[in-house]
Amino acid sequence: MAKSKSQKNQEVDALTSGLQSAKAAVVITMTGLKVKDNWDFRKILRKEGVKLEVAKKTLFKIALDKANIELPVDDLTGTVAMLLDDKEEARAAKLAADFKKDHPQVELQKGTVRMGGKWQSFNQAEILVLSKLPSRQELISKLMYLLNYPTTGLVRVLAGVPQKFVGTIKAIQDKKAQS
């Protein structure tokens, strides 16, 4: 059943507000994806707090224009969807890339990330690189490890001297006990 003009306007408004509140948007194509796989993908995304919007390319184009984002979608073919993430910049791309491993029908096409007040667009190759970046939690844990490492190393060095001294005294004591 065809959508009325008011339904299309509501959909564009919803897409526009989603884009304006998002930190990142990733455009994917998923032609040939089975319904069950689609629902599984949506469940994964919902669990992570990422929205999946499926619409016609013209509606995406209008919403992108309204949100002042330059991301051409005219050249894409098939079922086009957009992942919107309002918390992290690389998470949507990472989730789509992980899902693609088992479902080759999903293709990461383009993306855009909010940097400050401006949007930075990425082509297909760049969005794949973005999907391979470590997550925010991984980066924080690595930073904490690096900040903690010098203190841990100092404690180990300082604890090593008395341990060797005690070990030497024990060896002397054992040697005298044998004589």
Side-chain angles (χ1 to χ4, degrees), residues 31 52 56 71 95 129 151 159 164 179:
T31 304
L52 175 70
K56 292 188 175 254
L71 190 67
L95 290 170
V129 170
T151 347
K164 286 187 179 183
S179 323

Side-chain angles (χ1 to χ4, degrees), residues 155-170:
V155 169
R156 285 186 186 140
V157 168
L158 292 176
V161 173
Q163 284 177 341
K164 286 187 179 183
F165 180 70
V166 170
T168 305
I169 291 176
K170 176 95 168 121

Side-chain angles (χ1 to χ4, degrees), residues 19-144:
L19 284 165
Q20 289 171 339
S21 66
K23 283 190 176 181
V26 177
V27 178
I28 62 171
T29 54
M30 48 187 201
T31 304
L33 189 65
K34 295 179 181 175
V35 174
K36 182 190 178 307
D37 296 334
N38 188 347
W39 283 110
D40 291 342
F41 188 39
R42 286 176 184 267
K43 188 186 298 183
I44 292 166
L45 294 173
R46 197 175 314 115
K47 181 180 173 190
E48 294 292 328
V50 177
K51 295 179 197 170
L52 175 70
E53 299 288 344
V54 180
K56 292 188 175 254
K57 291 182 288 188
T58 52
L59 298 180
F60 279 135
K61 184 178 176 184
I62 294 167
L64 288 164
D65 288 341
K66 280 187 171 184
N68 294 323
I69 301 172
E70 292 183 31
L71 190 67
V73 292
D74 293 337
D75 58 334
L76 301 176
T77 58
T79 306
V80 178
M82 189 177 295
L83 303 175
L84 301 172
D85 191 353
D86 58 354
K87 293 182 183 156
E88 287 186 38
E89 289 79 6
R91 185 172 57 171
K94 184 180 283 300
L95 290 170
D98 288 345
F99 191 76
K100 179 184 172 28
K101 290 176 186 173
D102 296 329
H103 304 89
Q105 301 92 336
V106 175
E107 284 291 328
L108 281 80
Q109 297 294 336
K110 300 173 185 213
T112 185
V113 173
R114 185 189 311 261
M115 296 187 176
K118 295 194 172 203
W119 288 91
Q120 173 69 42
S121 295
F122 297 100
N123 62 25
Q124 188 174 22
E126 293 168 335
I127 204 74
L128 287 172
V129 170
L130 181 68
S131 73
K132 293 176 184 167
L133 288 176
S135 70
R136 179 180 169 91
Q137 281 301 112
E138 290 175 78
L139 290 174
I140 289 172
S141 67
K142 286 179 182 181
L143 176 65
M144 294 307 294

